[in-house]
Amino acid sequence: MTTDALPTRREQILATAAELFATRGYHGVSVADIGAACGISGPALYKHFASKDAVLAEMLVEISERLLSVGRSRSAAAPDARTALRALVDWHVSFALADRALIVVQDRDWESLPPAAREQVRTLQRAYVDLWATRLRELHDDLPLDSARAMAHAAFGLINSTPHSGLLPGHRMHALLSQMAERALGTA
């Protein structure tokens, strides 16, 4: 989603739907509910999305694409594996604190994704995990790939717990999560 300009109507719909899905669950929200929350009629929503399934699919595909794209960029800009992993941690923590609703939706409403979107998200997520795993293996000699992937998943679990446990002000939560994840990954 755009950060330097006003959100488009499509971005507004996605953000509003994410909040509604996070609060009430995918099945507890209708197209009319999304439209009303955006100040448009339910049928007007169909000008932007073919269905509620399409809203969920675009929401979760987009965030998976963004995580991977920014992650690749930050990793590529780093001079070494340790710095790359710190940049990846910083990025993922920033995402988790800014987009808590998306974490809840991903976790709780995953099974509601249409099969094609589910496979697309899984493919993107595997690439994101492998980005972290590659850098972990550069940092830790003789770390098997499956262990590196498990470490990445464990770090995501710690960071993604923020929707449920983010009780500190944002800057303090960011520092705490970053420190904990870096220690877990061996980059501190």
Side-chain angles (χ1 to χ4, degrees):
M1 295 185 194
T2 341
T3 57
D4 55 350
L6 291 175
T8 66
R9 175 63 87 180
R10 193 172 185 85
E11 291 169 337
Q12 178 197 14
I13 291 167
L14 288 170
T16 300
E19 291 296 330
L20 289 171
F21 294 165
T23 302
R24 297 177 10 205
Y26 174 77
H27 295 293
V29 176
S30 69
V31 169
D33 294 332
I34 298 168
C38 291
I40 60 176
S41 69
L45 191 84
Y46 293 116
K47 291 179 185 176
H48 303 280
F49 294 94
S51 64
K52 187 172 83 165
D53 285 352
V55 172
L56 180 65
E58 184 165 325
M59 179 187 304
L60 296 183
V61 168
E62 188 277 332
I63 193 52
S64 297
E65 288 172 340
R66 188 164 30 120
L67 280 166
L68 180 59
S69 174
V70 174
R72 282 178 172 160
S73 176
R74 289 196 175 195
S75 179
D80 56 52
R82 182 179 310 278
T83 307
L85 285 161
R86 286 181 173 160
L88 288 169
V89 165
D90 179 68
W91 158 235
H92 200 99
V93 170
S94 295
F95 154 73
L97 292 173
D99 291 305
R100 294 174 191 218
L102 290 172
I103 293 170
V104 172
V105 173
Q106 164 75 28
D107 185 49
R108 188 180 53 215
D109 295 315
W110 170 254
E111 290 299 320
S112 298
L113 262 178
R118 191 177 314 140
E119 185 53 37
Q120 187 176 5
V121 170
R122 276 290 183 232
T123 299
L124 291 163
Q125 288 175 341
R126 279 191 293 270
Y128 187 60
V129 168
D130 282 345
L131 174 66
W132 286 61
T134 297
R135 291 305 207 152
L136 283 164
R137 293 182 77 204
E138 290 171 16
L139 184 65
H140 302 289
D141 293 336
D142 301 321
L143 181 66
L145 180 59
D146 60 348
S147 296
R149 286 176 173 151
M151 287 175 72
H153 279 287
F156 301 158
L158 182 145
I159 296 167
N160 290 347
S161 70
T162 56
H164 312 291
S165 64
L167 305 175
L168 297 174
H171 68 284
R172 288 183 53 207
M173 196 67 198
H174 191 286
L176 178 65
L177 286 170
S178 296
Q179 182 183 52
M180 292 174 68
E182 287 179 20
R183 285 183 178 166
L185 297 171
T187 62

